[in-house]
C-alpha cells in the first residue's frame, strides 16, 4: 500500500495560520488527530517495570503549610521542612495544601483561563502570534516548528515580573484575576524559598536574597477534548528551566512525574498546588551542596502530561 505523502512543514504552517490553535480544530469538528500531533508509542508508556524498592510509592507527597504560619508550632515547621527536603531530593516535586492562596481565587483563575480559551475564534485570533517580545502571548506550541511532534495544547503566557504588564496589555476576560493570582503566588514563592533555604541548611533568606523570587512567567495551558488521546500528549517529557514552578491543576487528571525511570500519576488533590523544582534551582543547590558538608542539593525529575478527553 502506498501511503499518502506528508508535507509536515506545510501542515504545520496551515495549522498555525488558522490562529485558533487546537481549540480551533475541535471547533471545526475534527474526528482524527492530525499527523503533526502524533507521538511515538514509546513516549506514551513506561520504559521499564517498577523496581521492588519503589513499589510502596504511589505519587508525590503532599504537605500542609498551615496557612504559612508556623510560629506557634516549631515542631510542625521542622517536620514540614524535612519532608519538603526529602521530596525535593527524591522527586523534585511535591504538593502543598493550606498554602495561603485563597481557594476562591484558585477557582476564579481556572475560570479565567477557560474563559479566555473558550472565547470565539474571532476574539482569540486578535491575540494569536509568535512575537515573544510581547508581554501577553497566545499560541499553540511555542516550539511548533522545531519539535518532533506537536502537543494537543494551547497556551497564553505573560511575563509578570520583574517588569510587570500594564493592565491594558491583558485580555479583559482574565485581567483582574491574573493580577491578583500572580500577586498571591509571588508571596507564596517567597515563603517556599525560605523553606527550601532552611532545607539546605542555609539562612531562611538565602534564596530570596539571591533574587530567586524576583521573576515570574505565567503560563496558562488549555487541553481541548481529544478524539484520539492514545496518539498524542498534552505535554511531552520535559523539565522546567525556572527556579521553581507553582502549578495550579484542575480536576482533569493526566499529569505524570518520572522517578528513576518510572512514570507516576499525580491524582487531583482539591485545593492543592503542585510545586516543581526547576533546573536553575537544582543546578544552584548542587553547587551549594558541593561547597558545604552541612548542605544538600535538591533533585530534579521530568514530567509529562497525557492527553485527556476533556478540557
Amino acid at each position: 500500500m502506498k501511503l499518502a505523502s506528508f508535507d509536515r512543514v506545510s501542515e504545520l504552517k496551515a495549522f498555525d495560520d488558522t490562529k485558533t490553535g487546537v481549540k480551533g480544530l475541535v471547533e471545526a469538528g475534527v474526528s482524527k488527530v492530525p499527523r503533526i500531533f502524533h507521538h511515538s508509542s514509546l513516549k506514551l508508556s513506561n520504559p521499564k517495570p517498577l523496581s521492588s524498592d519503589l513499589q510502596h510509592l504511589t505519587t508525590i507527597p503532599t504537605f500542609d503549610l498551615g496557612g504559612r504560619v508556623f510560629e506557634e508550632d516549631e515542631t510542625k515547621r521542622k517536620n514540614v521542612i524535612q519532608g519538603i527536603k526529602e521530596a525535593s531530593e527524591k522527586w523534585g516535586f511535591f504538593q502543598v495544601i493550606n498554602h495561603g492562596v485563597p481557594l476562591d481565587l484558585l477557582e476564579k483563575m481556572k475560570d479565567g483561563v477557560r474563559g479566555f480559551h473558550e472565547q470565539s475564534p474571532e476574539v482569540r485570533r486578535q491575540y494569536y502570534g509568535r512575537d515573544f517580545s510581547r508581554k501577553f502571548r497566545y499560541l499553540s506550541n511555542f516550539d511548533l516548528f522545531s519539535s518532533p511532534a506537536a502537543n494537543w495544547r494551547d497556551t497564553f503566557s505573560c511575563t509578570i515580573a520583574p517588569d510587570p504588564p500594564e493592565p491594558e496589555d491583558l485580555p479583559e476576560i482574565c485581567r483582574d484575576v491574573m493580577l491578583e493570582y500572580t500577586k498571591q503566588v509571588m508571596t507564596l514563592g517567597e515563603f517556599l524559598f525560605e523553606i527550601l533555604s532552611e532545607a539546605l541548611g542555609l539562612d531562611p533568606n538565602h534564596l530570596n536574597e539571591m533574587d530567586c523570587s524576583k521573576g515570574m512567567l505565567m503560563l496558562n495551558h488549555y487541553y481541548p477534548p481529544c478524539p484520539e488521546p492514545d496518539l498524542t500528549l498534552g505535554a511531552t517529557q520535559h523539565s522546567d528551566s525556572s527556579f521553581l514552578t507553582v502549578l495550579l491543576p484542575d480536576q482533569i487528571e493526566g499529569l505524570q512525574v518520572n522517578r528513576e525511570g518510572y512514570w507516576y500519576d499525580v491524582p487531583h488533590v482539591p485545593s492543592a498546588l503542585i510545586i516543581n523544582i526547576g533546573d536553575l534551582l537544582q543546578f544552584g543547590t548542587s553547587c551549594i551542596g558541593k561547597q558545604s558538608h552541612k548542605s544538600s542539593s535538591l533533585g530534579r525529575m521530568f514530567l509529562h502530561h497525557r492527553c485527556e478527553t476533556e478540557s
Side-chain angles (χ1 to χ4, degrees):
M1 180 187 297
K2 184 178 180 180
L3 298 177
S5 61
F6 176 35
D7 186 342
R8 180 174 181 79
V9 174
S10 295
E11 292 200 19
L12 288 170
K13 188 176 186 304
F15 166 71
D16 200 47
D17 285 347
T18 66
K19 299 184 182 299
T20 56
V22 176
K23 184 65 161 58
L25 296 177
V26 174
E27 291 167 335
V30 296
S31 58
K32 299 287 185 180
V33 171
R35 285 174 289 184
I36 60 174
F37 294 95
H38 287 195
H39 285 257
S40 166
S41 60
L42 294 177
K43 297 181 180 180
L44 300 177
S45 60
N46 278 305
K48 64 179 184 180
L50 184 63
S51 62
S52 58
D53 59 330
L54 297 178
Q55 288 181 356
H56 66 287
L57 300 174
T58 56
T59 189
I60 61 176
T62 299
F63 301 101
D64 186 340
L65 298 185
R68 304 203 299 262
V69 180
F70 287 105
E71 286 80 1
E72 299 178 359
D73 193 340
E74 187 61 26
T75 299
K76 181 177 180 180
R77 180 184 180 88
K78 290 181 179 179
N79 289 339
V80 169
I81 291 173
Q82 181 61 29
I84 286 177
K85 174 185 176 182
E86 293 177 359
S88 299
E89 290 174 340
K90 297 177 181 179
W91 288 97
F93 287 82
F94 55 92
Q95 299 194 84
V96 292
I97 57 174
N98 293 327
H99 39 64
V101 181
L103 301 187
D104 63 333
L105 182 59
L106 301 184
E107 296 306 314
K108 290 177 182 177
M109 187 65 241
K110 288 183 280 189
D111 290 343
V113 174
R114 282 191 290 264
F116 175 87
H117 286 285
E118 292 175 1
Q119 294 178 108
S120 68
E122 292 73 25
V123 174
R124 300 202 310 276
R125 284 193 187 99
Q126 300 174 35
Y127 297 97
Y128 195 95
R130 297 188 178 275
D131 180 357
F132 292 98
S133 67
R134 296 172 58 185
K135 286 292 184 66
F136 182 90
R137 302 169 293 274
Y138 163 59
L139 74 168
S140 183
N141 288 257
F142 75 93
D143 57 350
L144 181 68
F145 292 94
S146 59
S147 62
N151 291 321
W152 195 261
R153 179 189 75 225
D154 299 328
T155 304
F156 71 82
S157 63
C158 183
T159 301
I160 301 295
D163 185 17
E166 297 296 332
E168 56 268 24
D169 293 332
L170 306 177
E172 183 177 0
I173 193 169
C174 55
R175 176 186 302 153
D176 292 343
V177 71
M178 281 180 65
L179 294 173
E180 178 59 26
Y181 176 76
T182 52
K183 177 182 176 181
Q184 292 281 344
V185 170
M186 286 289 282
T187 302
L188 172 61
E190 291 171 356
F191 176 81
L192 290 170
F193 281 124
E194 291 179 5
I195 294 294
L196 290 167
S197 293
E198 292 189 57
L200 288 163
L202 304 169
D203 181 89
N205 296 320
H206 189 92
L207 293 175
N208 283 315
E209 290 178 349
M210 289 176 59
D211 291 343
C212 291
S213 57
K214 294 300 183 183
M216 175 184 281
L217 172 65
M218 186 182 198
L219 298 170
N220 302 271
H221 298 312
Y222 182 83
Y223 306 90
C226 183
E228 298 178 299
D230 291 339
L231 295 180
T232 190
L233 289 168
T236 47
Q237 174 179 315
H238 69 280
S239 62
D240 289 351
S241 59
S242 59
F243 284 104
L244 205 66
T245 297
V246 178
L247 173 63
L248 169 60
D250 64 11
Q251 74 281 5
I252 304 300
E253 298 177 359
L255 178 67
Q256 294 183 314
V257 171
N258 190 298
R259 177 171 173 175
E260 298 181 35
Y262 187 82
W263 290 105
Y264 287 84
D265 294 329
V266 180
H268 174 64
V269 176
S271 78
L273 293 169
I274 299 171
I275 311 301
N276 176 3
I277 303 297
D279 293 337
L280 286 175
L281 186 57
Q282 187 270 342
F283 175 77
T285 57
S286 294
C287 294
I288 293 171
K290 292 176 182 178
Q291 295 169 4
S292 172
H293 295 297
K294 295 181 180 179
S295 301
S296 60
S297 61
L298 305 182
R300 184 66 193 87
M301 294 295 167
F302 294 97
L303 62 84
H304 75 183
H305 196 296
R306 289 186 180 274
C307 182
E308 294 299 318
T309 56
E310 300 180 47
S311 63

